[in-house]
Amino acid sequence: MSRLQTRFAELKQQNRAALVTFVTAGDPGYDASLAILKGLPKAGADVIELGMPFTDPMADGPAIQLANIRALAAKQDLRKTLQMVREFRKDDQSTPLVLMGYFNPIHKFGVDNFIAEAKEAGVDGLIVVDLPPEHNVDLCDPAQAAGIDFIRLTTPTTDDKRLPKVLNGSSGFVYYVSVAGVTGAGSATLEHVEAAVARLRRHTDLPISIGFGIRTPEHAATIARLADGVVVGSALIDQIEKADNSEDAVNGVLQLCSELAEGVRSARR
Amino acid sequence: MTSFRSGPDATGLFGSFGGQYVAETLMPLIHDLADEYEKAKQDPEFAKELAYFQRDYVGRPSPLYFAERLTEHCGGAKIYLKREELNHTGAHKINNCIGQILLARRMGKKRIIAETGAGMHGVATATVAARFGLDCVIYMGTTDIDRQQANVFRMKLLGATVIPVTAGTGTLKDAMNEALRDWVTNVDSTFYLIGTVAGPHPYPAMVRDFQAVIGKETRDQLQDQEGRLPDSLVACIGGGSNAMGLFHPFLDDNSVEIIGVEAAGYGIETGKHAASLNGGVPGVLHGNRTFLLQDDDGQIIDAHSISAGLDYPGIGPEHAWLHDIGRVQYTSVTDDEALEAFHSCCRLEGIIPALESAHALAEVFKRAPSLPKDHLMVVNLSGRGDKDMQTVMHHMAETVNQQEKTA
């Protein structure tokens, strides 16, 4: 079993949802970012999404755009991001780690090289925003052949006709983007999320994680009652934005992560 | 013979270029758009409506003008100018806007968004949105807003909301990111009216088809005036819509030499340029795989050109393919060469060209003198230069300053 399968199976037995956290690699700098990454599991993150910085994050809102700018200004690149994963894996063999970003840096790195290095570094899955199933051959197929999960985004615009196409070839979990919009934007109504989860369950047995616009422990708890995973990104990254120094950034992210984890854990008690 | 005019394939690829590299939220929308465009192409009513607006609203056909003084000055090839700058709104951009707005109306969309660089596409979009009574939001980088204030004012006069984009260098690429973010947020109401032959399929093919009226007219007009095909075609390239519009109807005519001119900015060797084919490598951005200016990590490098309309780090995927297979030759022209051509065109022909089109003219000045007098060369004069007064004045003042300093 893959780390993602194992983790979601364990949590199902514990009858609780996963807290899935997103931070951008290299934000606000390599060392602080690595400290955040290493601290997240202890602060209650069950699955980690690590953003690969890109100059043109077209599907991201202001918070993650700024995170990309900070990381790139601190000279983060894909090589260093893979190095961060290697360093993380020295102490942590169980927390699933998913790389998330846009295709161009991977394309430039070379797809075969990237897959080989990601596998060796201990990457469990990939989320590539601008690779819909129409482009499976570009990365999804070879990644899965190498044993790396390819996690799909499904959205409010993905209708029943299209859903099988999107889910076919998905593995690890399904990421439901609960609002049509950029990351960090307003959140969906509970009714919408309930209906969306029910619809997805008709089409897939994969765990379903919900993201976009989830900012507080209370909100996380609400979603955790409905779904298998709760994704939080922009709210964590805002902690870095408002920190005065690297130490405050690390502490801010991990503190909020602990609170969110408590919210998720309390949800079904 | 295999045709160079049959692309893209069903998945939107020209060779290995093009495609549909967008977020899942947008995929259903671009499939809908592709379906609706296919239907419209088969519909004689759509063709009739398009022809009506092209004639009575845009002012087509645009003249194919024999540039006698330019020809005498160069002393070689016989130079014709395709006068796209005489269209309503002053550039070729409206050809595409009229087509897409009719499509938006068919699809029942109430709100139009667009990105703009020099502002010509923004003005053309605001114009057709006003004509059809639709809400219009234009994204424009702050650098471009500073250098194209007259166009910003025009858009506002036409009732559009202009949203300044501060991200990146505040140019066309950043405006396009922001337009995509708007589209992904307002999926139900909004039609994204892309201004060039780039973006996810079907945009590159659709925009090309709407612009191909340029090449079709040129073909007929030259037949009337000279009784034959041209020997060469020259057009400038940012995203590449005016060039593709001129080139496409001639791609299968082997005798026609086709030259696209990229913006070399301060010179390709300086790294400060906008020449994606001559100074970039393949990558994926804004929905398509194409040549891009990027660093070793795949991060996009900001383009530079004196001409806001060419200031983009990518190029339409069909151009990338035509470059790859060698059917079209892609050269480049620096800021200084374009400015020189700009001044010459003003003085010789009494036509103030857009700085974009001045890049094509600069290539003509390089080529025409050594060609025989019976060589027929057609240049796309894609836009007029009124919008560039500020930039040119600024540059002339700077040149004077530098001369004084060195004197």
Side-chain angles (χ1 to χ4, degrees):
Chain A
M1 280 217 299
S2 73
R3 281 193 200 97
L4 278 165
Q5 279 175 318
T6 308
R7 176 55 49 97
F8 278 105
E10 286 166 7
L11 296 181
K12 193 169 187 178
Q13 285 215 316
Q14 295 170 29
N15 189 31
R16 73 169 177 89
L19 174 63
V20 182
T21 58
F22 174 92
V23 290
T24 298
D27 173 28
Y30 186 91
D31 294 338
S33 184
L34 183 60
I36 290 170
L37 191 60
K38 287 188 168 182
L40 281 170
K42 202 186 278 181
D46 300 300
V47 175
I48 293 173
E49 291 177 4
L50 186 62
M52 299 173 278
F54 184 47
T55 39
D56 294 78
M58 287 152 284
D60 285 299
I64 296 179
Q65 287 177 47
L66 287 171
N68 279 280
I69 291 169
R70 285 192 299 265
L72 291 170
K75 306 273 182 231
Q76 185 75 13
D77 59 20
L78 191 46
R79 214 167 299 280
K80 288 186 188 170
T81 299
L82 290 165
Q83 185 55 32
M84 275 180 75
V85 178
R86 281 187 202 101
E87 295 196 41
F88 172 79
R89 276 280 169 256
K90 281 183 196 163
D91 319 317
D92 188 318
Q93 288 299 318
S94 57
T95 307
L97 188 147
V98 174
L99 289 181
M100 181 166 181
Y102 296 82
F103 187 40
N104 198 54
I106 297 171
H107 184 276
K108 189 71 175 61
F109 197 91
V111 165
D112 293 343
N113 281 343
F114 172 75
I115 290 170
E117 286 207 29
K119 183 74 193 164
E120 167 266 317
V123 171
D124 301 295
L126 299 173
I127 304 175
V128 183
V129 178
D130 52 356
L131 282 181
E134 280 76 359
H135 286 288
N136 273 352
V137 50
D138 290 57
L139 181 65
C140 173
D141 295 348
Q144 288 185 329
I148 298 177
D149 284 320
F150 204 84
I151 293 128
R152 289 259 178 242
L153 303 172
T154 64
T155 73
T157 60
T158 317
D159 60 18
D160 282 329
K161 198 173 121 225
R162 184 169 167 78
L163 207 45
K165 183 175 182 140
V166 175
L167 294 172
N168 180 25
S170 287
S171 55
F173 63 94
V174 175
Y175 186 151
Y176 182 67
V177 172
S178 58
V179 287
V182 293
T183 50
S187 53
T189 63
L190 208 54
E191 291 74 29
H192 173 89
V193 174
E194 252 178 323
V197 171
R199 186 163 76 95
L200 285 167
R201 296 241 193 259
R202 287 200 295 274
H203 287 271
T204 184
D205 296 327
L206 288 170
I208 297 164
S209 294
I210 309 273
F212 279 45
I214 301 168
R215 305 192 63 86
T216 63
E218 296 73 30
H219 194 187
T222 313
I223 300 297
R225 280 180 209 113
L226 304 171
D228 306 307
V230 181
V231 188
V232 182
S234 296
L236 291 168
I237 282 170
D238 282 343
Q239 298 296 318
I240 300 176
E241 166 70 15
K242 71 181 193 194
D244 291 330
N245 54 53
S246 296
E247 202 186 326
D248 286 358
V250 176
N251 292 336
V253 172
L254 297 181
Q255 175 62 35
L256 178 59
C257 181
S258 302
E259 292 164 16
L260 291 163
E262 183 48 37
V264 168
R265 280 157 214 253
S266 70
R268 296 185 206 161
R269 272 179 211 154
Chain B
M1 192 193 93
T2 51
S3 173
F4 295 112
R5 304 179 64 229
S6 56
D9 70 12
T11 60
L13 288 173
F14 302 90
S16 66
F17 301 101
Q20 299 181 306
Y21 295 89
V22 297
E24 174 58 28
T25 310
L26 294 179
M27 280 309 297
L29 280 76
I30 62 175
H31 283 312
D32 281 352
L33 178 62
D35 292 348
E36 192 63 35
Y37 178 55
E38 283 309 311
K39 275 187 230 156
K41 275 202 289 192
Q42 312 299 326
D43 181 356
E45 279 305 307
F46 184 79
K48 209 170 122 190
E49 210 179 8
L50 183 60
Y52 164 75
F53 281 103
Q54 282 175 340
R55 189 188 67 225
D56 289 359
Y57 191 68
V58 176
R60 301 207 71 89
S62 68
L64 183 69
Y65 161 71
F66 169 45
E68 196 176 348
R69 292 249 295 148
L70 207 58
T71 300
E72 272 171 24
H73 175 84
C74 290
K78 192 170 182 185
I79 301 161
Y80 280 89
L81 302 179
K82 180 60 174 163
R83 303 285 306 275
E84 289 298 301
E85 100 283 10
L86 294 177
N87 294 335
H88 181 38
T89 73
H92 70 290
K93 290 294 184 189
I94 192 130
N95 301 332
N96 165 50
C97 290
I98 278 289
Q100 285 197 50
I101 202 94
L102 292 175
L103 206 55
R105 209 174 49 157
R106 276 174 77 102
M107 297 176 80
K109 300 288 183 182
K110 301 281 180 236
R111 179 174 176 269
I112 305 296
I113 59 169
E115 81 295 335
T116 196
M120 298 312 275
H121 175 58
V123 168
T125 303
T127 297
V128 296
R131 170 59 185 78
F132 290 96
L134 302 173
D135 287 342
C136 182
V137 173
I138 306 290
Y139 290 92
M140 188 168 185
T142 46
T143 305
D144 289 338
I145 286 178
D146 286 345
R147 56 182 168 177
Q148 300 292 348
Q149 281 170 12
N151 272 345
V152 175
F153 187 64
R154 262 180 215 123
M155 288 183 258
K156 289 179 180 169
L157 276 180
L158 292 160
T161 305
V162 180
I163 300 187
V165 179
T166 52
T169 43
T171 59
L172 184 53
K173 157 182 98 91
D174 310 300
M176 199 152 180
N177 288 336
E178 214 51 42
L180 283 164
R181 290 181 187 121
D182 179 314
W183 201 23
V184 92
T185 308
N186 300 292
V187 286
D188 293 328
S189 64
T190 298
F191 186 99
Y192 183 14
L193 207 162
I194 293 185
T196 191
V197 287
H201 175 68
Y203 284 101
M206 179 172 70
V207 176
R208 172 200 71 199
D209 293 347
F210 290 137
Q211 291 293 0
V213 66
I214 302 171
K216 285 178 199 153
E217 283 177 9
T218 300
R219 216 181 159 91
D220 293 345
Q221 289 166 322
L222 204 66
Q223 190 62 39
D224 288 347
Q225 294 179 50
E226 297 279 356
R228 67 178 180 93
L229 287 169
D231 296 301
S232 60
L233 304 172
V234 182
C236 66
I237 301 199
S241 69
N242 90 80
M244 194 52 72
L246 176 65
F247 298 169
H248 196 259
F250 294 98
L251 289 176
D252 286 338
D253 298 293
N254 288 333
S255 67
V256 182
E257 192 183 2
I258 305 181
I259 301 116
V261 185
E262 294 192 298
Y266 296 138
I268 304 235
E269 69 288 351
T270 65
K272 300 272 181 203
H273 61 82
S276 325
L277 293 177
N278 287 292
V281 291
V284 172
L285 181 70
H286 293 154
N288 57 156
R289 183 173 185 275
T290 188
F291 279 74
L292 299 172
L293 304 183
Q294 55 182 315
D295 68 12
D296 289 342
D297 189 42
Q299 306 299 337
I300 306 304
I301 297 174
D302 290 313
H304 164 80
S305 170
I306 189 167
S307 136
L310 305 182
D311 208 344
Y312 180 70
I315 185 166
E318 194 167 9
H319 285 296
W321 174 69
L322 291 167
H323 168 71
D324 210 38
I325 61 170
R327 173 62 187 99
V328 176
Q329 192 188 334
Y330 293 89
T331 60
S332 66
V333 153
T334 63
D335 288 354
D336 288 343
E337 290 169 329
L339 275 164
E340 205 181 313
F342 172 90
H343 287 293
S344 301
C345 185
C346 293
R347 300 283 180 89
L348 287 167
E349 291 292 349
I351 295 171
I352 302 175
L355 282 173
E356 290 77 10
S357 319
H359 283 72
L361 290 166
E363 183 64 23
V364 170
F365 283 110
K366 290 184 191 177
R367 266 168 203 269
S370 59
L371 291 167
K373 291 195 188 315
D374 61 352
H375 181 107
L376 302 180
M377 180 181 274
V378 176
V379 191
N380 199 0
L381 203 72
S382 53
R384 61 176 171 239
D386 306 42
K387 69 182 171 59
D388 295 316
M389 292 303 97
Q390 211 184 336
T391 305
V392 175
M393 274 192 286
H394 176 76
H395 195 273
M396 285 169 81
E398 225 172 41
T399 311
V400 170
N401 275 344
Q402 272 169 3
Q403 281 165 353
E404 279 170 0
K405 267 186 212 159
T406 50

